[in-house]
Amino acid sequence: NNKIKNGIIEIDTNIYKKLNDIDTVKLNEGVHKIVVKGTNIESFTKEITLAINEKVSLDLNEVPIKAGKVTIRPNVDDYALYINGNLELSREPLELEYGSYTVEIVKYGYITYTSRFTVDSPEKIIKPNLTKEVKMGTLTVNSNPSGANLMINGASVGMTPYSCDLVQGQHSITLKKDGYKDITIDSIYISEQGATYNVELQKE
């Protein structure tokens, strides 16, 4: 059974091997005790009786793999949940076999959450925290004449011509230059395509 993790097989008291290292063992005729252990199964014990030249097969796929109930509670609603790349439609606790998994949570307007977790207990609760996606746009401000001090949202950022990336949405700009009237535009809008403002300064 390839699903058994860290599998060990014990035969009587004198044979102790990793499952991956063994597929056939020659034993004397008679009764033998077989014990299979692994980190994700309960110990499996079976007695077999061998006659001379008899071959016995032990099917370890009969060994039940431990499973736990996993509850995933992100900080958002209306999301897509993927476990190991497979879409999970259920929001009930998921019954997963012991082992490691990748969880991915996708929601529009949020950064995709990706993480790994291990199921190693009967119950597990995961509380992913998705972060809102910050969308940026490029603001370009030119002035005539150039060399005006530019303030964005009340903070001085440099001299015109000036270009920078800002969070999409509304902002304000102010231009100041000696010998010219201050100009403030309270509601500039930065979109995904950005925005360009060409400002004509008026002499005092």
Side-chain angles (χ1 to χ4, degrees), residues 3-21:
K3 291 185 177 181
I4 297 177
K5 305 295 184 184
N6 303 313
I8 296 292
I9 186 167
E10 300 174 8
I11 304 175
D12 301 327
T13 58
N14 59 341
I15 297 178
Y16 183 88
K17 291 182 177 289
K18 293 181 178 179
L19 278 180
N20 292 340
D21 297 338

Side-chain angles (χ1 to χ4, degrees), residues 30-70:
V31 178
H32 298 276
K33 181 181 179 182
I34 312 295
V35 179
V36 178
K37 298 179 180 178
T39 54
N40 62 339
I41 63 170
E42 303 288 352
S43 291
F44 172 80
T45 303
K46 187 169 185 176
E47 282 194 350
I48 61 171
T49 301
L50 286 177
I52 295 176
N53 295 326
E54 182 184 13
K55 184 175 182 179
V56 173
S57 295
L58 185 64
D59 186 1
L60 295 182
N61 288 296
E62 299 174 358
V63 179
I65 303 297
K66 288 182 181 178
K69 291 185 177 180
V70 179

Side-chain angles (χ1 to χ4, degrees), residues 80-93:
L81 171 66
Y82 296 86
I83 301 294
N84 286 350
N86 298 315
L87 178 64
E88 292 286 347
L89 299 178
S90 174
R91 294 297 182 258
E92 299 298 322

